[in-house]
Amino acid sequence: TVALCRTMTDEDGPPSLSGLCVECVCRNLQALCSVRSDGSLQLSSCPAFPQELSDLLIHTMVQQGVLDDRTLGVFRGTECLHLKRVSIRSCRLSADAFRKALCSHRLKELDASRLRGDITVSDILQGLSSNQQCRQSLQRLTLTGLDLLSSSSDPSLSFSSLRALRSLGVAWTQLDDSGLEDICSLPMLDSLDISGTAVTDLTPLLNLKTHLYSLTAHGLHPLDMSTASLLSILSNLEQLRHLDISNDRLDTDSEIPLLERPQILPALESLDVSGWSGVSDAVLKPFLEARRGMRFLGLLATGAGASDFLSGEGNLKVAGEFNLTQLCEALRRYREREVLLQRALLHLHNLTNQLDIGSQPDVLKLVCAGMQTHSGSVGVQLVSTACVFNLTNLELAVSMPLRLLGNVVQQLITTMKNFPNHEQIQKNCLLALCSDHILQTVPFNRYEAAKQVMTCLSLYEDQTLQRMSVAVVSLLVSKVRGMLRAGEMHMTQNGAVISDLQQLLSIVQQRASVGAVDSTLKFALSALWNLTDETPKACRIFLQNQGLELYTELLETYFFDSSVQQKVLGLLNNMAEVEDLREWLMEEDLLKYILALLHSPVVEVGVSYFAGGVLANLTSSRRPEWRLDAELRNTILNKLHSSVISWTPPDHEMVSYRSFQPFYPLLDCSQPSGVQLWALWGIQLVVRQSGEREEEKRLREKD
């Protein structure tokens, strides 16, 4: 039986007004600030912010990736902004910027995990200790993954001045036995994380025996104590409720003696032994019966957890691998632990391959969180991208919150950027992106996505990858045409448009050379059509790369395929709209062939319409003047008039326009009637299609 992982979160609701306002401030920091002599920013005019809004501001700056030495300067002084709960994890900051901006605040909680730059644990402790108010107020401090000392740091590292600390995390630092002894002198410390440190002896913990509530010692491989000594220390920690001794060296076959000692830690509520294979359901049953207050067990990669009493459905939560509930708990608990997270994701992938678990937005959110935390891990990204595809495949994405899907897609784009040379990761990401609902409805940076998929297209010759890349690009480009047009000058200068067009033309050439009529060819033609829409520079690049010669051949080679012909004529129509490019199309044989498509009784109206568009622009009274046979122009205008009158609008959507701008010059009173008629028919078609879309939308909402 598959259970729902958790209740829905706020991804399905609107953002808060305060959040939107703070995001606006973050986007406009440069305009709202002046610059100090050292280059840091200072708010030019700022009212006194409530403490909660100050905390939200720095949190949002971190989330948007704009917090650095320069922007952190807005928090210098406490006249306007008062910080209490601060997380700056993974930001790039210097020790000097940290000291000047944050150490004057009366902080209660600080998470400085995995900071990048020259800042160390010693720098943070010295900065915090320099403020008496902070020494008295700081209760939670997390310093995961930092160096203890730098070459310029004060070697006398000490936590003892932070007397109010209740929770301390120094996981994955070089903390040794002397450092642990210093920490254990803190009078109010009740929660300690020393995972992955160099500690070999836990004896100093006895100084905390009357008040240590939580001990996390995951991956404590250097520990050098006998089993009897370890059990003796644990048995003296009389207030201990949470104990984590999980192991990131998976499949280590060793028994956990604590599980067989019911008299030790009878008040324990949470125990994590994930990664130890010497655990069984049979051993766990009497252990749990002796501790009725247990609320959590970590059993991932132990082989235990298959019994009903370990399902995780009741009051006892279990992080394991035997059902979706256990896997959700594992994904939530082990987000920071790469090895265990990867194992949980692997089991989730297997589960979603074997069972139809339905739409699970909360599971997807947990997968995305793991991807964000371990963005540089090949193993995590490989299996998580496969999980994303399984969780959003087919109709599953439709019922997902759009904001959640947007976050997931942005992470997929980041993953593609981080691992351009990993073919399977690229395939997984493209598989997840190949969804009409995602590409057309979900909010994300389509411009960035299109560039990244084009990069993938340039790196791989694998036909499956090319087919997916071209399919995704064709839909993305149709959505970002306005952005491409606005940024075309910049893109042309840095070679992006040139490269994209060349790649797509190369794919069209390859498919046409073997006479292929497949989705790869048609998606490439669609992408080229959209890239050149109202974008004269892209049209010129197309011409400079022998695109017209190729498209002339396509018209003749694919005379039997109306879809190919419509896409080819659509791009030629984009060219014909550009006055100084019409000379390229003034070829008598080409125009005669297009004229034949205009009035042929066996050609679909979509082909005739775009053939008419090319001819209407070329025979209009605008520049350049007609330089071919005058009789040919008269014939074209007569056929254009009679053909337009005979057209019946198709039942399906045929074309989309961003604006009516291409039609306006053709409606001038000086234009021939056939030209005017074609433009009016086009406007009527666009209005008709728009009305039908709105009606369909109303019917869906009514249903």
mmCIF file of all heavy atoms in Angstrom, residues 517-561:
data_model
loop_
_atom_site.group_PDB
_atom_site.id
_atom_site.type_symbol
_atom_site.label_atom_id
_atom_site.label_comp_id
_atom_site.label_asym_id
_atom_site.label_seq_id
_atom_site.Cartn_x
_atom_site.Cartn_y
_atom_site.Cartn_z
ATOM 1 N N VAL A 517 11.699 11.683 -42.475
ATOM 2 C CA VAL A 517 10.525 12.478 -42.111
ATOM 3 C C VAL A 517 10.182 12.084 -40.677
ATOM 4 O O VAL A 517 9.393 11.181 -40.438
ATOM 5 C CB VAL A 517 9.330 12.211 -43.040
ATOM 6 C CG1 VAL A 517 8.181 13.158 -42.698
ATOM 7 C CG2 VAL A 517 9.722 12.364 -44.491
ATOM 8 N N ASP A 518 10.822 12.741 -39.731
ATOM 9 C CA ASP A 518 10.653 12.348 -38.340
ATOM 10 C C ASP A 518 10.517 13.576 -37.452
ATOM 11 O O ASP A 518 10.591 14.718 -37.911
ATOM 12 C CB ASP A 518 11.809 11.455 -37.880
ATOM 13 C CG ASP A 518 13.176 12.120 -38.065
ATOM 14 O OD1 ASP A 518 13.224 13.352 -38.271
ATOM 15 O OD2 ASP A 518 14.200 11.412 -38.012
ATOM 16 N N SER A 519 10.338 13.315 -36.147
ATOM 17 C CA SER A 519 10.124 14.414 -35.202
ATOM 18 C C SER A 519 11.357 15.296 -35.078
ATOM 19 O O SER A 519 11.244 16.507 -34.863
ATOM 20 C CB SER A 519 9.728 13.858 -33.830
ATOM 21 O OG SER A 519 10.745 13.006 -33.325
ATOM 22 N N THR A 520 12.551 14.710 -35.215
ATOM 23 C CA THR A 520 13.764 15.519 -35.102
ATOM 24 C C THR A 520 13.805 16.588 -36.186
ATOM 25 O O THR A 520 14.088 17.766 -35.915
ATOM 26 C CB THR A 520 15.018 14.627 -35.203
ATOM 27 O OG1 THR A 520 14.967 13.625 -34.177
ATOM 28 C CG2 THR A 520 16.288 15.454 -35.046
ATOM 29 N N LEU A 521 13.520 16.191 -37.432
ATOM 30 C CA LEU A 521 13.496 17.146 -38.534
ATOM 31 C C LEU A 521 12.443 18.222 -38.299
ATOM 32 O O LEU A 521 12.710 19.427 -38.433
ATOM 33 C CB LEU A 521 13.217 16.415 -39.849
ATOM 34 C CG LEU A 521 12.977 17.319 -41.064
ATOM 35 C CD1 LEU A 521 14.249 18.062 -41.437
ATOM 36 C CD2 LEU A 521 12.441 16.510 -42.244
ATOM 37 N N LYS A 522 11.252 17.815 -37.921
ATOM 38 C CA LYS A 522 10.148 18.773 -37.800
ATOM 39 C C LYS A 522 10.345 19.712 -36.613
ATOM 40 O O LYS A 522 10.034 20.906 -36.704
ATOM 41 C CB LYS A 522 8.825 18.021 -37.701
ATOM 42 C CG LYS A 522 8.487 17.277 -38.998
ATOM 43 C CD LYS A 522 7.142 16.584 -38.945
ATOM 44 C CE LYS A 522 6.844 15.894 -40.259
ATOM 45 N NZ LYS A 522 5.522 15.219 -40.263
ATOM 46 N N PHE A 523 10.877 19.192 -35.501
ATOM 47 C CA PHE A 523 11.136 20.073 -34.363
ATOM 48 C C PHE A 523 12.257 21.065 -34.682
ATOM 49 O O PHE A 523 12.215 22.223 -34.256
ATOM 50 C CB PHE A 523 11.497 19.266 -33.125
ATOM 51 C CG PHE A 523 10.302 18.718 -32.392
ATOM 52 C CD1 PHE A 523 10.203 17.367 -32.099
ATOM 53 C CD2 PHE A 523 9.274 19.552 -31.982
ATOM 54 C CE1 PHE A 523 9.099 16.870 -31.412
ATOM 55 C CE2 PHE A 523 8.172 19.063 -31.306
ATOM 56 C CZ PHE A 523 8.082 17.719 -31.014
ATOM 57 N N ALA A 524 13.266 20.620 -35.431
ATOM 58 C CA ALA A 524 14.346 21.532 -35.814
ATOM 59 C C ALA A 524 13.813 22.639 -36.721
ATOM 60 O O ALA A 524 14.187 23.809 -36.576
ATOM 61 C CB ALA A 524 15.464 20.759 -36.512
ATOM 62 N N LEU A 525 12.947 22.285 -37.649
ATOM 63 C CA LEU A 525 12.339 23.289 -38.528
ATOM 64 C C LEU A 525 11.484 24.270 -37.727
ATOM 65 O O LEU A 525 11.490 25.480 -37.998
ATOM 66 C CB LEU A 525 11.487 22.596 -39.599
ATOM 67 C CG LEU A 525 12.264 21.805 -40.665
ATOM 68 C CD1 LEU A 525 11.301 21.001 -41.533
ATOM 69 C CD2 LEU A 525 13.102 22.728 -41.529
ATOM 70 N N SER A 526 10.754 23.757 -36.733
ATOM 71 C CA SER A 526 9.941 24.644 -35.890
ATOM 72 C C SER A 526 10.807 25.613 -35.107
ATOM 73 O O SER A 526 10.485 26.799 -34.968
ATOM 74 C CB SER A 526 9.084 23.812 -34.922
ATOM 75 O OG SER A 526 8.119 23.047 -35.616
ATOM 76 N N ALA A 527 11.923 25.102 -34.568
ATOM 77 C CA ALA A 527 12.817 25.964 -33.792
ATOM 78 C C ALA A 527 13.410 27.064 -34.671
ATOM 79 O O ALA A 527 13.492 28.232 -34.265
ATOM 80 C CB ALA A 527 13.930 25.128 -33.163
ATOM 81 N N LEU A 528 13.828 26.714 -35.880
ATOM 82 C CA LEU A 528 14.369 27.715 -36.802
ATOM 83 C C LEU A 528 13.308 28.747 -37.179
ATOM 84 O O LEU A 528 13.602 29.947 -37.284
ATOM 85 C CB LEU A 528 14.896 27.022 -38.061
ATOM 86 C CG LEU A 528 16.237 26.286 -37.891
ATOM 87 C CD1 LEU A 528 16.476 25.320 -39.036
ATOM 88 C CD2 LEU A 528 17.382 27.288 -37.793
ATOM 89 N N TRP A 529 12.116 28.291 -37.374
ATOM 90 C CA TRP A 529 11.007 29.197 -37.692
ATOM 91 C C TRP A 529 10.812 30.216 -36.563
ATOM 92 O O TRP A 529 10.700 31.421 -36.791
ATOM 93 C CB TRP A 529 9.755 28.354 -37.918
ATOM 94 C CG TRP A 529 8.518 29.085 -38.347
ATOM 95 C CD1 TRP A 529 8.383 30.406 -38.649
ATOM 96 C CD2 TRP A 529 7.224 28.505 -38.513
ATOM 97 N NE1 TRP A 529 7.093 30.690 -38.999
ATOM 98 C CE2 TRP A 529 6.353 29.550 -38.922
ATOM 99 C CE3 TRP A 529 6.714 27.227 -38.359
ATOM 100 C CZ2 TRP A 529 5.000 29.323 -39.175
ATOM 101 C CZ3 TRP A 529 5.371 26.998 -38.624
ATOM 102 C CH2 TRP A 529 4.519 28.039 -39.020
ATOM 103 N N ASN A 530 10.799 29.719 -35.324
ATOM 104 C CA ASN A 530 10.595 30.606 -34.179
ATOM 105 C C ASN A 530 11.793 31.521 -33.929
ATOM 106 O O ASN A 530 11.634 32.677 -33.523
ATOM 107 C CB ASN A 530 10.302 29.783 -32.923
ATOM 108 C CG ASN A 530 8.881 29.245 -32.907
ATOM 109 O OD1 ASN A 530 7.945 29.966 -33.196
ATOM 110 N ND2 ASN A 530 8.723 27.963 -32.592
ATOM 111 N N LEU A 531 13.005 31.011 -34.155
ATOM 112 C CA LEU A 531 14.198 31.833 -33.940
ATOM 113 C C LEU A 531 14.246 33.039 -34.873
ATOM 114 O O LEU A 531 14.787 34.083 -34.526
ATOM 115 C CB LEU A 531 15.460 30.985 -34.144
ATOM 116 C CG LEU A 531 15.983 30.199 -32.939
ATOM 117 C CD1 LEU A 531 17.109 29.277 -33.370
ATOM 118 C CD2 LEU A 531 16.458 31.132 -31.839
ATOM 119 N N THR A 532 13.672 32.888 -36.060
ATOM 120 C CA THR A 532 13.740 33.970 -37.044
ATOM 121 C C THR A 532 12.497 34.854 -37.029
ATOM 122 O O THR A 532 12.440 35.834 -37.777
ATOM 123 C CB THR A 532 13.910 33.387 -38.460
ATOM 124 O OG1 THR A 532 12.848 32.439 -38.714
ATOM 125 C CG2 THR A 532 15.248 32.681 -38.597
ATOM 126 N N ASP A 533 11.524 34.546 -36.178
ATOM 127 C CA ASP A 533 10.280 35.311 -36.169
ATOM 128 C C ASP A 533 10.517 36.742 -35.670
ATOM 129 O O ASP A 533 10.973 36.940 -34.536
ATOM 130 C CB ASP A 533 9.255 34.604 -35.279
ATOM 131 C CG ASP A 533 7.916 35.315 -35.275
ATOM 132 O OD1 ASP A 533 7.527 35.864 -36.322
ATOM 133 O OD2 ASP A 533 7.261 35.336 -34.219
ATOM 134 N N GLU A 534 10.241 37.726 -36.503
ATOM 135 C CA GLU A 534 10.430 39.137 -36.175
ATOM 136 C C GLU A 534 11.826 39.419 -35.616
ATOM 137 O O GLU A 534 12.018 40.251 -34.730
ATOM 138 C CB GLU A 534 9.351 39.612 -35.191
ATOM 139 C CG GLU A 534 7.936 39.585 -35.774
ATOM 140 C CD GLU A 534 6.931 40.243 -34.853
ATOM 141 O OE1 GLU A 534 7.234 41.325 -34.312
ATOM 142 O OE2 GLU A 534 5.844 39.673 -34.666
ATOM 143 N N THR A 535 12.808 38.679 -36.125
ATOM 144 C CA THR A 535 14.198 38.822 -35.674
ATOM 145 C C THR A 535 15.087 38.940 -36.901
ATOM 146 O O THR A 535 15.666 37.956 -37.368
ATOM 147 C CB THR A 535 14.622 37.606 -34.814
ATOM 148 O OG1 THR A 535 13.610 37.326 -33.860
ATOM 149 C CG2 THR A 535 15.932 37.876 -34.091
ATOM 150 N N PRO A 536 15.217 40.130 -37.470
ATOM 151 C CA PRO A 536 15.978 40.306 -38.717
ATOM 152 C C PRO A 536 17.407 39.782 -38.651
ATOM 153 O O PRO A 536 17.893 39.203 -39.621
ATOM 154 C CB PRO A 536 15.945 41.826 -38.926
ATOM 155 C CG PRO A 536 14.693 42.275 -38.238
ATOM 156 C CD PRO A 536 14.563 41.395 -37.045
ATOM 157 N N LYS A 537 18.092 39.971 -37.517
ATOM 158 C CA LYS A 537 19.477 39.515 -37.436
ATOM 159 C C LYS A 537 19.564 37.992 -37.550
ATOM 160 O O LYS A 537 20.495 37.463 -38.150
ATOM 161 C CB LYS A 537 20.122 40.006 -36.142
ATOM 162 C CG LYS A 537 20.362 41.504 -36.128
ATOM 163 C CD LYS A 537 21.161 41.920 -34.926
ATOM 164 C CE LYS A 537 21.337 43.444 -34.908
ATOM 165 N NZ LYS A 537 22.076 43.923 -36.090
ATOM 166 N N ALA A 538 18.605 37.302 -36.948
ATOM 167 C CA ALA A 538 18.594 35.842 -37.074
ATOM 168 C C ALA A 538 18.331 35.431 -38.522
ATOM 169 O O ALA A 538 18.907 34.451 -39.014
ATOM 170 C CB ALA A 538 17.538 35.252 -36.151
ATOM 171 N N CYS A 539 17.474 36.174 -39.203
ATOM 172 C CA CYS A 539 17.212 35.888 -40.614
ATOM 173 C C CYS A 539 18.488 36.054 -41.441
ATOM 174 O O CYS A 539 18.768 35.263 -42.353
ATOM 175 C CB CYS A 539 16.123 36.805 -41.154
ATOM 176 S SG CYS A 539 14.475 36.497 -40.476
ATOM 177 N N ARG A 540 19.271 37.086 -41.153
ATOM 178 C CA ARG A 540 20.523 37.311 -41.886
ATOM 179 C C ARG A 540 21.519 36.175 -41.635
ATOM 180 O O ARG A 540 22.217 35.725 -42.549
ATOM 181 C CB ARG A 540 21.136 38.648 -41.476
ATOM 182 C CG ARG A 540 20.326 39.855 -41.946
ATOM 183 C CD ARG A 540 21.060 41.174 -41.688
ATOM 184 N NE ARG A 540 20.232 42.299 -42.078
ATOM 185 C CZ ARG A 540 19.388 42.934 -41.272
ATOM 186 N NH1 ARG A 540 19.283 42.560 -40.003
ATOM 187 N NH2 ARG A 540 18.656 43.941 -41.714
ATOM 188 N N ILE A 541 21.586 35.740 -40.372
ATOM 189 C CA ILE A 541 22.483 34.618 -40.050
ATOM 190 C C ILE A 541 22.047 33.367 -40.800
ATOM 191 O O ILE A 541 22.870 32.600 -41.306
ATOM 192 C CB ILE A 541 22.502 34.369 -38.532
ATOM 193 C CG1 ILE A 541 23.104 35.577 -37.811
ATOM 194 C CG2 ILE A 541 23.301 33.123 -38.199
ATOM 195 C CD1 ILE A 541 22.895 35.554 -36.308
ATOM 196 N N PHE A 542 20.746 33.162 -40.884
ATOM 197 C CA PHE A 542 20.197 32.036 -41.650
ATOM 198 C C PHE A 542 20.672 32.099 -43.099
ATOM 199 O O PHE A 542 21.116 31.099 -43.675
ATOM 200 C CB PHE A 542 18.667 32.087 -41.569
ATOM 201 C CG PHE A 542 17.962 31.106 -42.460
ATOM 202 C CD1 PHE A 542 17.772 29.794 -42.068
ATOM 203 C CD2 PHE A 542 17.474 31.512 -43.703
ATOM 204 C CE1 PHE A 542 17.109 28.887 -42.892
ATOM 205 C CE2 PHE A 542 16.808 30.619 -44.533
ATOM 206 C CZ PHE A 542 16.631 29.306 -44.123
ATOM 207 N N LEU A 543 20.589 33.256 -43.708
ATOM 208 C CA LEU A 543 21.007 33.419 -45.100
ATOM 209 C C LEU A 543 22.510 33.220 -45.253
ATOM 210 O O LEU A 543 22.971 32.572 -46.205
ATOM 211 C CB LEU A 543 20.616 34.810 -45.597
ATOM 212 C CG LEU A 543 19.118 35.046 -45.807
ATOM 213 C CD1 LEU A 543 18.849 36.519 -46.064
ATOM 214 C CD2 LEU A 543 18.594 34.201 -46.963
ATOM 215 N N GLN A 544 23.290 33.763 -44.321
ATOM 216 C CA GLN A 544 24.745 33.664 -44.402
ATOM 217 C C GLN A 544 25.241 32.230 -44.261
ATOM 218 O O GLN A 544 26.365 31.920 -44.669
ATOM 219 C CB GLN A 544 25.375 34.553 -43.330
ATOM 220 C CG GLN A 544 25.170 36.041 -43.570
ATOM 221 C CD GLN A 544 25.402 36.877 -42.324
ATOM 222 O OE1 GLN A 544 25.823 36.353 -41.277
ATOM 223 N NE2 GLN A 544 25.117 38.178 -42.408
ATOM 224 N N ASN A 545 24.413 31.374 -43.705
ATOM 225 C CA ASN A 545 24.784 29.964 -43.535
ATOM 226 C C ASN A 545 24.081 29.060 -44.535
ATOM 227 O O ASN A 545 23.813 27.889 -44.250
ATOM 228 C CB ASN A 545 24.475 29.525 -42.098
ATOM 229 C CG ASN A 545 25.469 30.053 -41.094
ATOM 230 O OD1 ASN A 545 26.506 29.444 -40.842
ATOM 231 N ND2 ASN A 545 25.160 31.213 -40.524
ATOM 232 N N GLN A 546 23.802 29.612 -45.716
ATOM 233 C CA GLN A 546 23.216 28.861 -46.836
ATOM 234 C C GLN A 546 21.869 28.237 -46.486
ATOM 235 O O GLN A 546 21.494 27.179 -47.006
ATOM 236 C CB GLN A 546 24.169 27.759 -47.339
ATOM 237 C CG GLN A 546 25.416 28.269 -48.052
ATOM 238 C CD GLN A 546 26.430 28.885 -47.108
ATOM 239 O OE1 GLN A 546 26.807 28.259 -46.111
ATOM 240 N NE2 GLN A 546 26.873 30.088 -47.402
ATOM 241 N N GLY A 547 21.142 28.910 -45.612
ATOM 242 C CA GLY A 547 19.836 28.390 -45.244
ATOM 243 C C GLY A 547 18.831 28.434 -46.379
ATOM 244 O O GLY A 547 18.010 27.514 -46.537
ATOM 245 N N LEU A 548 18.876 29.486 -47.205
ATOM 246 C CA LEU A 548 17.904 29.607 -48.288
ATOM 247 C C LEU A 548 18.083 28.486 -49.305
ATOM 248 O O LEU A 548 17.092 27.915 -49.795
ATOM 249 C CB LEU A 548 18.042 30.973 -48.965
ATOM 250 C CG LEU A 548 17.044 31.266 -50.082
ATOM 251 C CD1 LEU A 548 15.606 31.153 -49.580
ATOM 252 C CD2 LEU A 548 17.291 32.651 -50.681
ATOM 253 N N GLU A 549 19.330 28.163 -49.633
ATOM 254 C CA GLU A 549 19.575 27.066 -50.571
ATOM 255 C C GLU A 549 19.020 25.753 -50.022
ATOM 256 O O GLU A 549 18.390 24.968 -50.749
ATOM 257 C CB GLU A 549 21.075 26.929 -50.834
ATOM 258 C CG GLU A 549 21.691 28.097 -51.592
ATOM 259 C CD GLU A 549 22.073 29.265 -50.702
ATOM 260 O OE1 GLU A 549 21.645 29.293 -49.528
ATOM 261 O OE2 GLU A 549 22.801 30.155 -51.171
ATOM 262 N N LEU A 550 19.258 25.515 -48.733
ATOM 263 C CA LEU A 550 18.763 24.289 -48.110
ATOM 264 C C LEU A 550 17.240 24.250 -48.129
ATOM 265 O O LEU A 550 16.628 23.218 -48.473
ATOM 266 C CB LEU A 550 19.274 24.190 -46.670
ATOM 267 C CG LEU A 550 18.730 23.045 -45.818
ATOM 268 C CD1 LEU A 550 19.063 21.697 -46.429
ATOM 269 C CD2 LEU A 550 19.265 23.133 -44.384
ATOM 270 N N TYR A 551 16.592 25.355 -47.796
ATOM 271 C CA TYR A 551 15.129 25.381 -47.724
ATOM 272 C C TYR A 551 14.490 25.280 -49.105
ATOM 273 O O TYR A 551 13.392 24.727 -49.246
ATOM 274 C CB TYR A 551 14.681 26.653 -47.000
ATOM 275 C CG TYR A 551 14.528 26.449 -45.501
ATOM 276 C CD1 TYR A 551 15.528 25.810 -44.778
ATOM 277 C CD2 TYR A 551 13.400 26.874 -44.820
ATOM 278 C CE1 TYR A 551 15.402 25.603 -43.416
ATOM 279 C CE2 TYR A 551 13.258 26.669 -43.456
ATOM 280 C CZ TYR A 551 14.264 26.033 -42.759
ATOM 281 O OH TYR A 551 14.123 25.820 -41.415
ATOM 282 N N THR A 552 15.158 25.807 -50.116
ATOM 283 C CA THR A 552 14.647 25.642 -51.477
ATOM 284 C C THR A 552 14.625 24.169 -51.853
ATOM 285 O O THR A 552 13.661 23.672 -52.465
ATOM 286 C CB THR A 552 15.522 26.431 -52.466
ATOM 287 O OG1 THR A 552 15.523 27.817 -52.101
ATOM 288 C CG2 THR A 552 14.996 26.293 -53.886
ATOM 289 N N GLU A 553 15.681 23.442 -51.482
ATOM 290 C CA GLU A 553 15.718 21.998 -51.737
ATOM 291 C C GLU A 553 14.637 21.268 -50.950
ATOM 292 O O GLU A 553 14.010 20.322 -51.458
ATOM 293 C CB GLU A 553 17.093 21.443 -51.369
ATOM 294 C CG GLU A 553 18.228 21.935 -52.246
ATOM 295 C CD GLU A 553 19.575 21.395 -51.784
ATOM 296 O OE1 GLU A 553 19.572 20.499 -50.903
ATOM 297 O OE2 GLU A 553 20.610 21.858 -52.279
ATOM 298 N N LEU A 554 14.409 21.693 -49.698
ATOM 299 C CA LEU A 554 13.397 21.036 -48.877
ATOM 300 C C LEU A 554 12.003 21.176 -49.492
ATOM 301 O O LEU A 554 11.192 20.230 -49.446
ATOM 302 C CB LEU A 554 13.393 21.633 -47.467
ATOM 303 C CG LEU A 554 14.614 21.363 -46.589
ATOM 304 C CD1 LEU A 554 14.482 22.096 -45.259
ATOM 305 C CD2 LEU A 554 14.798 19.873 -46.344
ATOM 306 N N LEU A 555 11.705 22.345 -50.027
ATOM 307 C CA LEU A 555 10.387 22.548 -50.640
ATOM 308 C C LEU A 555 10.129 21.535 -51.743
ATOM 309 O O LEU A 555 9.013 21.018 -51.890
ATOM 310 C CB LEU A 555 10.290 23.966 -51.206
ATOM 311 C CG LEU A 555 9.883 25.090 -50.252
ATOM 312 C CD1 LEU A 555 9.868 26.419 -50.988
ATOM 313 C CD2 LEU A 555 8.523 24.814 -49.622
ATOM 314 N N GLU A 556 11.176 21.261 -52.532
ATOM 315 C CA GLU A 556 11.013 20.330 -53.648
ATOM 316 C C GLU A 556 11.084 18.879 -53.198
ATOM 317 O O GLU A 556 10.328 18.031 -53.672
ATOM 318 C CB GLU A 556 12.095 20.612 -54.693
ATOM 319 C CG GLU A 556 12.000 22.014 -55.293
ATOM 320 C CD GLU A 556 13.146 22.308 -56.248
ATOM 321 O OE1 GLU A 556 14.019 21.422 -56.408
ATOM 322 O OE2 GLU A 556 13.171 23.406 -56.828
ATOM 323 N N THR A 557 11.978 18.598 -52.211
ATOM 324 C CA THR A 557 12.163 17.213 -51.766
ATOM 325 C C THR A 557 10.967 16.708 -50.967
ATOM 326 O O THR A 557 10.549 15.550 -51.108
ATOM 327 C CB THR A 557 13.434 17.102 -50.902
ATOM 328 O OG1 THR A 557 14.541 17.611 -51.626
ATOM 329 C CG2 THR A 557 13.691 15.657 -50.495
ATOM 330 N N TYR A 558 10.396 17.575 -50.135
ATOM 331 C CA TYR A 558 9.297 17.164 -49.254
ATOM 332 C C TYR A 558 7.956 17.698 -49.764
ATOM 333 O O TYR A 558 7.117 18.147 -48.989
ATOM 334 C CB TYR A 558 9.569 17.654 -47.835
ATOM 335 C CG TYR A 558 10.698 16.908 -47.148
ATOM 336 C CD1 TYR A 558 12.013 17.347 -47.265
ATOM 337 C CD2 TYR A 558 10.454 15.750 -46.417
ATOM 338 C CE1 TYR A 558 13.055 16.669 -46.658
ATOM 339 C CE2 TYR A 558 11.486 15.059 -45.806
ATOM 340 C CZ TYR A 558 12.792 15.526 -45.928
ATOM 341 O OH TYR A 558 13.815 14.831 -45.318
ATOM 342 N N PHE A 559 7.757 17.601 -51.081
ATOM 343 C CA PHE A 559 6.495 18.050 -51.679
ATOM 344 C C PHE A 559 5.302 17.275 -51.153
ATOM 345 O O PHE A 559 4.166 17.741 -51.206
ATOM 346 C CB PHE A 559 6.574 17.917 -53.208
ATOM 347 C CG PHE A 559 6.716 16.492 -53.673
ATOM 348 C CD1 PHE A 559 5.596 15.708 -53.935
ATOM 349 C CD2 PHE A 559 7.971 15.924 -53.833
ATOM 350 C CE1 PHE A 559 5.722 14.378 -54.359
ATOM 351 C CE2 PHE A 559 8.110 14.603 -54.243
ATOM 352 C CZ PHE A 559 6.976 13.825 -54.510
ATOM 353 N N PHE A 560 5.571 16.081 -50.604
ATOM 354 C CA PHE A 560 4.501 15.194 -50.149
ATOM 355 C C PHE A 560 4.123 15.421 -48.687
ATOM 356 O O PHE A 560 3.163 14.830 -48.197
ATOM 357 C CB PHE A 560 4.938 13.732 -50.309
ATOM 358 C CG PHE A 560 6.229 13.423 -49.600
ATOM 359 C CD1 PHE A 560 6.248 13.052 -48.257
ATOM 360 C CD2 PHE A 560 7.447 13.538 -50.266
ATOM 361 C CE1 PHE A 560 7.428 12.781 -47.599
ATOM 362 C CE2 PHE A 560 8.643 13.271 -49.604
ATOM 363 C CZ PHE A 560 8.636 12.895 -48.275
ATOM 364 N N ASP A 561 4.875 16.241 -47.966
ATOM 365 C CA ASP A 561 4.640 16.426 -46.529
ATOM 366 C C ASP A 561 4.255 17.872 -46.241
ATOM 367 O O ASP A 561 5.107 18.771 -46.237
ATOM 368 C CB ASP A 561 5.887 16.040 -45.734
ATOM 369 C CG ASP A 561 5.613 15.909 -44.238
ATOM 370 O OD1 ASP A 561 5.240 16.925 -43.629
ATOM 371 O OD2 ASP A 561 5.776 14.805 -43.692
#
